[in-house]
């Protein structure tokens, strides 16, 4: 069940105790950054380590062209990341990659905000 569907069920059941909502999570995000690993690899500051057992020819971009990262910056400056990749470069779609990477990053925010909320509730 998707978060929006779950939120609707919670509201329909009248559950009103303090909790983290999808809106709370979204409002906590102040910046979103996306990049494909191959772009970062080609950056002048990137470091490349090729293990001794790697095939001849050194490093190649290959599947890193289908590995998408999402970096979300939260209100307090903390960052979370999400990733998405596909097995075949032929299936790579940048928009889909960004959506999946963002979903994976957002899923890391829930426990952080849940912990913060629990810390504020009476014991």
């Amino acid at each position: 069940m998707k978060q929006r569907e779950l939120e609707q069920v919670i509201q329909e059941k009248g559950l009103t105790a303090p909790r983290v909502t999808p809106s709370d999570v979204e409002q906590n995000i102040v910046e979103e950054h996306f990049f494909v690993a191959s772009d970062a690899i080609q950056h002048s500051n990137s470091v490349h380590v090729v293990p001794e057992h790697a095939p001849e020819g050194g490093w190649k971009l290959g599947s890193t062209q289908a590995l998408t990262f999402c970096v979300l910056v939260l209100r307090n400056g903390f960052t979370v990341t999400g990733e998405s990749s596909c097995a075949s470069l032929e299936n790579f779609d940048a928009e889909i990659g960004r959506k999946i990477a963002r979903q994976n990053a957002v899923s890391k925010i829930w426990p952080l905000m849940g912990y913060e909320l629990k810390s504020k509730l009476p014991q």
Side-chain angles (χ1 to χ4, degrees):
M1 182 179 290
K2 294 184 178 182
Q3 284 296 335
R4 299 274 177 219
E5 295 168 348
L6 182 57
E7 178 65 19
Q8 184 175 348
V9 170
I10 290 169
Q11 288 181 13
E12 288 170 359
K13 290 184 176 254
L15 303 174
T16 59
R19 62 189 175 84
V20 177
T21 67
S23 178
D24 295 332
V25 171
E26 289 299 325
Q27 290 176 10
N28 205 31
I29 299 168
V30 295
E31 294 177 28
E32 298 181 20
H33 304 278
F34 298 91
F35 62 93
V36 176
S38 59
D39 293 341
I41 288 169
Q42 295 176 79
H43 190 275
S44 61
N45 289 340
S46 65
V47 175
H48 308 283
V49 178
V50 180
E52 290 180 22
H53 62 276
E56 291 247 355
W59 63 274
K60 296 178 177 64
L61 294 178
S63 61
T64 64
Q65 297 171 84
L67 172 59
T68 303
F69 289 94
C70 172
V71 178
L72 299 178
V73 181
L74 306 182
R75 213 178 354 207
N76 67 0
F78 193 75
T79 57
V80 294
T81 61
E83 309 79 28
S84 73
S85 188
C86 57
S88 300
L89 278 174
E90 298 80 21
N91 287 336
F92 177 71
D93 179 281
E95 182 181 352
I96 293 171
R98 287 189 298 270
K99 284 182 179 181
I100 294 170
R102 188 183 191 283
Q103 286 175 347
N104 291 335
V106 166
S107 71
K108 295 177 182 179
I109 298 172
W110 286 92
L112 297 171
M113 291 184 69
Y115 178 86
E116 179 183 38
L117 175 60
K118 180 67 175 170
S119 295
K120 294 176 181 175
L121 295 176
Q123 299 298 320

